[in-house]
Structures are given as structure tokens and as C-alpha cells.
Amino acid sequence: MASKRLLIPLAVAGFVTSGCSTLPALSSFSQTTAEPNPEASADVSEQVLVESELDTALDEAAQPEPETVFDPLLADLTATEYLFDAEPDLSAENLRARAVYDPYAQYPEDLYQTLRRGFEFDLTLEDPRITSQLRWYASHQSYFNRVSERAGRYMFHIVAELQARDMPLDLALLPIVESAFDPFAYSHGSAAGMWQFIPSTGRMFGLKQDWWYDGRRDVVESTRAAMEYLDQLNDMFDGDWLLALAAYNSGPGTVMRAMRRNRAEGKPTDFWNLDLPRETEAYVPKMFALAKLIHSPETYGIELPLLDTEPFFEIVDVGSQIDLAQAATMADMDLSDLYLLNPGFNQWATNPEGPHRLLVHADNAAGFRERLADLPLDSRMAWQRYTIEPGDSLLTIARDFGVTVAIIQEANDLNGSMIRAGDALMIPTASASSNAYSMSADQRLERRQNASGSSDTRRVDYVVQPGDSFWDISREFDVTVQSLARWNNMAPRDVIRPGQTLAVWVSNDATPSTNASVSSSVRNGREVVRKVGYVVRAGDSLYRIANRFNVRIADIQNWNTIGQEYLQPGQRLTLYVDVTRLQ
């Protein structure tokens, strides 16, 4: 028995020296007011009591006892391999033992608990920037509810990958700071996905980006790339994870220049003393604030939802391209849920060139594999036979079917763009209606474009012409570049392409095009017919709309497949308007 007691001080010391045991003594935050909690002194007294009990336990452990005496409290303390059994002993005596031995015993054994036990950063650190972030988080319980709901899909995979790479579990909080665990997040700096990769950095770490697929949103691939990048940055900054995180946000060059300036001025070069961009200076404090809050949520008045410790999804090798609606049916999942696990796929199907895998709910994986094995390869995609008509081109056909020219060429083994009237082409098509693929890139864009307006604005659809830029279009419609990009789920620095349709929200009193747009069109010798999306308002009629846009009633009916029925407020019409004829 005496030899066993030697384990107690070592085990207990592991918690006392971890840098986290003093956290409950930090200033508390009220969820509603984010002000220091006057009851914090009670926490200190409780801590003193626990420390007193700890000292007593250690003193008793140092005293020799007859080998025949069995101390159940001491036995529970020393039996570390059974301390966290699936069915723990909840007797008062055992709970007291855990309170002395394990500062985390009060929390449920979920994924947040796994993080709590795996945090490596010094959470006793105090800094006004951390305090500021803590106050915000502590006053937004609803934010943690939303983030936890999203994180439940991906956190198990992230934690498992960090553990496999022997990286700090603190890094699992990075997607909260970057994207709030939204895999479809897109920033003003052209960064996409849960880990917010910009296009160039994504390609540097092997994240493929094309019409079918964007690896920056892929849960598995973006997580791999993020961890490789973070590991590389950590090596670059000699094992300093805080500098690595700062570099992840602002780029390693920015951090290195700040360090050189401090060295030249004789100042410290750790993160807390560097002069960095404002966003970066708040970035690392957000990580610390989140870790402190998760470590001791009751101290800050936050209730953390439970995160399951079982895998949420399994990876299934599908072998070839497959329609996502068909895959969702075979996996017994809603198509929207399949997209949430596979946000890298932009269209209605997986990429024909891979990756040939899908993430499905863990409980559904076995059944999906069985059904997939019984499905012939030629039945995984829907195809439509199209006979080429005079005047057709690959570009017009691709637009009509919502695919790219390259896809038609690949599907029909075409080396160039020459086609002949009367020949047939095989076009891959979606097996369900476009609305069914509610989280495809096109549907997400349509929702964003429609949701950007207000009651005193109307939407105009502008077709990008050769030579156009965000700046030119924003001036034509008297809107800001930032607004124009946001309405179309883009960043101001993104490239726009001829033929692309942009939604522009203008005042109800404004004309669809200004003098600048007309003169620009005439100057460049282009046809000045614009596709305009018009939302019917109360009191509108076909006659009034035709007169306003200088078009014929019959044309409006043909463009929208409508007859003489009454228009309804909120109904959307497509018009083709010659802007040079507008008054």
C-alpha cells in the first residue's frame, strides 16, 4: 500500500502545475452584463477549501499505515486507470475524491471536456485584449449555441487529427475564430471554408478549386491543409504557436517584419509585444478567450451544449462521379445534410476527376456502401441527349444546360469547339430539380442575391461585358464596390467574367441604367440590351411595366411564359431591356 501512495503527489501535481487550475479564481463575467461577478470571492473560498482538502489528503498519504487497512478514498485516488469509467461511482465519498484529484470532474465527458484536458496554452495569462474578447463571448450564449451545433459535425474529426499529429488541442478552436464553423463562409479577402483559405494558399497545400469542387470547403482536405500549414508556421517561428497563429491570419511576412522592427528597437518579439494589423492583434486573444471560457464556462456564465465523443461521419469511397441527390437517397439522408458534410462540391454531382468519396452520417455508412455496391457505374449520373441546331455553339449549349464547355467536351470526346448541326451531344444533367440542390453554389448565390435587398430597393440583373470591373459597374449604378461584391457572394478583389450575371440592388426611384452605362455601352460598340430582374409591386400591370421599360407586352409574356392573368406583388419577371431607349 505504501508504494501505491507515491503515485498520489505525482498525479495531483500534474493538475496543479498545468497552468489551468487557477482559472476559477479569475474575475467572473455575467452572461447578461459581462461585468465582474461579485460572487467571485465565493469561488476563491471554495478553491481554498479544495486546496486544504488536497493538503490533508497528501499529508495522510505520507503517513505509513498497516497493510491490512483499506482506505476507499485513497484506493479511488490511486486507481487512476479506472477513475473515468463509463459508469462512475457517484457516491459522496468518491465525488469528494474526484474534486481533490480532478479539477474537471464537475463537467460531462464530452468533446469540450476532451479539449479542456488537452489545452496546452497558458490560460492563466492576463491581457486587456483577452478580457475584451471574454466580455463579448460571455454575453452571447446564443452564439455558442449556434457554433456548437455546427461544430458537432466536424469537431470529432478535427480533434482526432490534432491528436494524431501531436498538436495542441487549443488549435481546434481556430475554426470558431475563422468562420464560426461555417463551411460555406466566404470573407472579404476571398477566403473560403471553415479554415478560411485564400485561393493561392489553398493551391499551395493541394486544395483543388474548379467549377465542380472547391477543396477549401472540403471538411477532410481543408483540415489536413490547415494542420500542415500550421505545423509549417510553427517550425518557421521556432515552436512559438502564438506567432504561428498570428502568421496564419496575416501571413508570415507580416509577423517577421514586426519582429524585425522590435529587434531593431530593443523590444521583445513575442506576440503580445508586436505591432501587428488590428485584426491580427485581436485574433490570438480570441483563441485565449475561447479556451478560458471553455475551460471554466460557469465562471463566465456560459452553458456549453454537449458535443458527442463519437464520430459524426464516416468517409465512403464512391469510386466515380455520382449525382448528389441520388447519393443522399441511397445514404438515407436529406440532401442538405449531405451538402453540409460535403461542402466542397459546388454542383449537383461530385467532381468527375475526384475526390471520389463522400462523407455520410456514421450510422448510415454501412447501408450506403451496400446500396452503392449494387448500383452500376453508368447509373450514377443522369444524361440528356441534345441534337445540335443551326446557330448553336458549345458556349450557348453549356449556358442552356448550366454546365461548362469543358464538361461537354470531355463527355463527348471533343478536342476543339467545332460542332455540326444535326449531330448529338450527351450532356450530364441533375436528376432532381435545381431547387432540390439547395446548397449548391448556384442556389447559395441565388439566396444571397435575393436576400440583399430591402423594401425601398429593387434588383437589377447586370450581365458582365468584356472590360467590365467591379469599379465600373458600381459607378454605373451608383453603389459601392463592397456592396456589389457582397450582394453576389464575392470579394471586391475577385475576378468577374464576361457573361456572368450580377445582382445590383438600386433605389426604386432610380432608372435601371445611368447615362454612364449608356455612354459606356455605346463607346465600346456593344449591344446594350440588358437582362433585368424585376419584382412586381402593388399596382403594377403588364402595360405599366412595358411602358416603363419601353418593351412590348407580348415580349414580357414570352420571356416569362405568362398569359393575361393578373400579376402578383412579389412576382419576379425577367426583362430584356435596351438601355439606350430608356428615358
Side-chain angles (χ1 to χ4, degrees), residues 96-398:
R96 176 176 173 275
R98 289 183 179 224
V100 174
Y101 182 84
D102 179 10
Y104 308 119
Q106 60 182 304
Y107 304 114
E109 292 293 332
D110 68 342
L111 268 179
Y112 278 131
Q113 180 80 310
T114 302
L115 294 179
R116 212 172 272 122
R117 296 186 185 281
F119 284 152
E120 296 183 18
F121 294 174
D122 181 8
L123 301 187
T124 64
L125 186 66
E126 296 281 2
D127 186 274
R129 287 170 286 182
I130 298 175
T131 303
S132 174
Q133 298 299 333
L134 264 172
R135 285 202 170 104
W136 189 91
Y137 287 128
S139 61
H140 288 80
Q141 175 70 54
S142 59
Y143 174 82
F144 270 94
N145 295 341
R146 291 194 304 273
V147 166
S148 296
E149 181 181 2
R150 296 173 188 156
R153 302 184 188 100
Y154 319 114
M155 184 69 89
F156 182 92
H157 176 74
I158 292 171
V159 170
E161 289 297 304
L162 288 171
Q163 290 175 329
R165 297 167 183 263
D166 196 25
M167 298 171 73
L169 295 192
D170 310 68
L171 302 178
L173 305 179
L174 190 59
I176 301 180
V177 177
E178 286 287 355
S179 64
F181 270 107
D182 180 3
F184 296 111
Y186 192 75
S187 78
H188 60 84
S190 305
M194 187 165 55
W195 296 93
Q196 289 289 281
F197 277 97
I198 61 174
S200 57
T201 307
R203 284 189 289 270
M204 187 186 307
F205 286 90
L207 299 179
K208 182 166 63 174
Q209 302 155 54
D210 57 30
W211 186 78
W212 286 105
Y213 168 81
D214 190 339
R216 296 177 300 162
R217 296 192 187 96
D218 186 296
V219 173
V220 172
E221 279 298 287
S222 66
T223 299
R224 170 200 57 80
M227 292 182 185
E228 289 180 4
Y229 188 26
L230 286 165
D231 197 40
Q232 185 181 102
L233 291 171
N234 186 51
D235 289 341
M236 188 181 300
F237 292 98
D238 299 323
D240 190 321
W241 279 112
L242 304 194
L243 294 178
L245 286 169
Y248 188 93
N249 176 252
S250 62
T254 301
V255 177
M256 287 179 174
R257 285 190 293 274
M259 294 174 70
R260 283 198 296 270
R261 287 194 299 269
N262 274 26
R263 287 194 193 98
E265 298 173 8
K267 297 179 180 178
T269 58
D270 62 291
F271 168 80
W272 304 103
N273 286 282
L274 294 182
D275 183 13
L276 293 166
R278 182 177 180 180
E279 179 183 325
T280 309
E281 289 195 347
Y283 189 82
V284 172
K286 286 181 181 178
M287 294 280 290
F288 272 80
L290 286 167
K292 286 191 174 196
L293 190 148
I294 290 171
H295 180 274
S296 305
E298 77 291 341
T299 304
Y300 306 104
I302 286 289
E303 182 177 347
L304 295 178
L306 293 178
L307 293 185
D308 201 346
T309 55
E310 296 295 324
F312 188 86
F313 61 77
E314 283 191 24
I315 302 172
V316 177
D317 182 4
V318 296
S320 64
Q321 187 179 31
I322 187 170
D323 185 293
L324 291 174
Q326 187 176 26
T329 300
M330 295 170 64
D332 195 21
M333 293 173 58
D334 289 339
L335 184 52
S336 58
D337 290 336
L338 189 68
Y339 269 114
L340 286 171
L341 291 182
N342 300 273
F345 294 118
N346 293 327
Q347 308 303 329
W348 73 89
T350 61
N351 194 321
E353 298 179 356
H356 296 308
R357 55 163 168 73
L358 284 174
L359 276 55
V360 300
H361 290 158
D363 294 340
N364 302 34
F368 180 52
R369 289 189 179 96
E370 291 175 4
R371 298 181 190 102
L372 194 64
D374 295 335
L375 183 69
L377 288 177
D378 59 2
S379 299
R380 297 184 175 195
M381 290 284 292
W383 296 85
Q384 183 169 337
R385 181 184 176 88
Y386 176 77
T387 302
I388 302 170
E389 298 180 355
D392 276 345
S393 68
L394 286 181
L395 181 60
T396 59
I397 296 171

Side-chain angles (χ1 to χ4, degrees), residues 23-37:
L23 276 179
L26 297 175
S27 296
S28 298
F29 288 83
S30 167
Q31 179 181 334
T32 55
T33 64
E35 293 296 326
N37 189 338

Side-chain angles (χ1 to χ4, degrees), residues 40 91 173 179 225 265 367 411-412 418 453 466 529 555 569:
S91 65
L173 305 179
S179 64
E265 298 173 8
N412 295 274
M418 295 295 295
V529 174
D555 288 335

Side-chain angles (χ1 to χ4, degrees), residues 558-578:
N558 290 334
W559 293 331
N560 297 277
T561 319
I562 58 176
Q564 296 294 330
E565 65 266 21
Y566 289 107
L567 299 177
Q568 300 296 323
Q571 182 179 352
R572 292 194 60 83
L573 299 177
T574 297
L575 310 176
Y576 293 89
V577 178
D578 184 347

